[in-house]
Amino acid sequence: GAVVSQHPSRVICKSGTSVKIECRSLDFQATTMFWYRQFPKQSLMLMATSNEGSKATYEQGVEKDKFLINHASLTLSTLTVTSAHPEDSSFYICSAREFINQPQHFGDGTRLSIL
Amino acid sequence: RKEVEQDPGPFNVPEGATVAFNCTYSNSASQSFFWYRQDCRKEPKLLMSVYSSGNEDGRFTAQLNRASQYISLLIRDSKLSDSATYLCVVRDNTGGFKTIFGAGTRLFVKA
């Protein structure tokens, strides 16, 4: 159980492109979803937390207009990296949690490369 | 001081060895604790929750010392497939249930 699917797994695109990443909980309803970024050999960095039907809560230093998060249903959250630049290249991972006292389960991650 | 601290390693051990990872956390209000493993270029996966009384899952044993704000993970009879980064995770069960991930400890198990 507790499967989280993330798509796409790999994106390579030109600078200035907007990229949309989907995160789905396949066998449970995710009241809360999280978006992380991880640079090579570094730890996970929480970008934002989203609760279904509410606006996402962004961590300090994360631009909400740059990283648009939508959590319109209990099984789907999307992250859109708008006008991506090379410095946005990273490994983006979502996670989802069904109930507030349960552990998070992670998606497969999306490796984003901006040329 | 970081909220969750781990020895980054790497730990290089032979197959069959026993290896222990330590983790300390700064928020005494933390209530839930987990160990995740992350393989290279992959997402973290839940390894086990950590309970106050200590718990075991096969070759893996997790311990919690609330007084010292210390968590440990012991791996017995290491396998090559245990090579990964082990993340200590701490959650505050109040307010927004904020979850903090440690930076991870890298383990290499060699034949």
Side-chain angles (χ1 to χ4, degrees):
Chain A
V3 177
V4 177
S5 173
Q6 191 172 335
H7 178 80
S9 58
R10 186 85 165 98
V11 180
I12 303 173
C13 56
K14 294 180 180 179
S15 185
T17 308
S18 290
V19 178
K20 187 175 187 178
I21 303 169
E22 290 188 351
C23 179
R24 293 179 186 274
S25 56
L26 299 186
D27 54 356
F28 66 99
Q29 294 188 320
T31 52
T32 307
M33 285 187 168
F34 306 85
W35 287 97
Y36 293 84
R37 182 166 53 181
Q38 188 175 35
F39 293 105
K41 298 187 179 182
Q42 294 190 22
S43 58
L44 290 168
M45 290 173 46
L46 179 64
M47 298 175 67
T49 302
S50 74
N51 293 297
E52 185 264 339
S54 304
K55 286 185 179 179
T57 302
Y58 289 81
E59 294 299 300
Q60 194 171 17
V62 178
E63 299 175 56
K64 61 180 181 181
D65 295 329
K66 171 79 174 175
F67 300 98
L68 301 177
I69 292 172
N70 183 286
H71 190 170
S73 79
L74 283 171
T75 58
L76 173 65
S77 176
T78 61
L79 167 68
T80 301
V81 184
T82 61
S83 187
H85 290 98
E87 59 266 28
D88 297 323
S89 299
S90 187
F91 188 46
Y92 291 85
I93 317 175
C94 73
S95 71
R97 182 178 72 197
E98 183 173 12
F99 298 115
I100 201 165
N101 61 344
Q102 290 189 336
Q104 298 172 40
H105 297 278
F106 286 83
D108 301 339
T110 298
R111 199 159 298 281
L112 176 63
S113 299
I114 307 297
L115 306 177
Chain B
R1 183 186 171 188
K2 291 182 184 176
E3 291 180 88
V4 178
E5 291 206 62
Q6 295 182 251
D7 181 342
F11 285 54
N12 294 291
V13 303
E15 267 188 297
T18 295
V19 61
F21 303 136
N22 302 322
C23 171
T24 58
Y25 60 95
S26 61
N27 183 359
S28 59
S30 300
Q31 292 293 323
S32 298
F33 309 91
F34 310 93
W35 283 100
Y36 281 73
R37 71 170 277 169
Q38 185 175 22
D39 292 286
C40 189
R41 299 170 73 84
K42 297 280 190 178
E43 78 281 13
K45 292 186 178 177
L46 178 65
L47 181 64
M48 59 197 302
S49 300
V50 186
Y51 303 115
S52 296
S53 55
N55 49 298
E56 187 175 306
D57 183 1
R59 297 182 293 109
F60 299 84
T61 301
Q63 297 276 355
L64 168 64
N65 184 322
R66 287 187 185 274
S68 302
Q69 294 180 204
Y70 168 94
I71 306 157
S72 66
L73 176 68
L74 184 76
I75 305 176
R76 290 181 299 279
D77 189 22
S78 300
K79 311 289 184 192
L80 294 175
S81 57
D82 293 334
S83 298
T85 296
Y86 290 83
L87 306 173
C88 174
V89 181
V90 173
R91 189 173 66 203
D92 165 11
N93 286 10
T94 60
F97 285 71
K98 187 178 178 184
T99 301
I100 307 295
F101 284 79
T105 299
R106 297 188 75 189
L107 172 66
F108 294 103
V109 181
K110 300 185 177 181

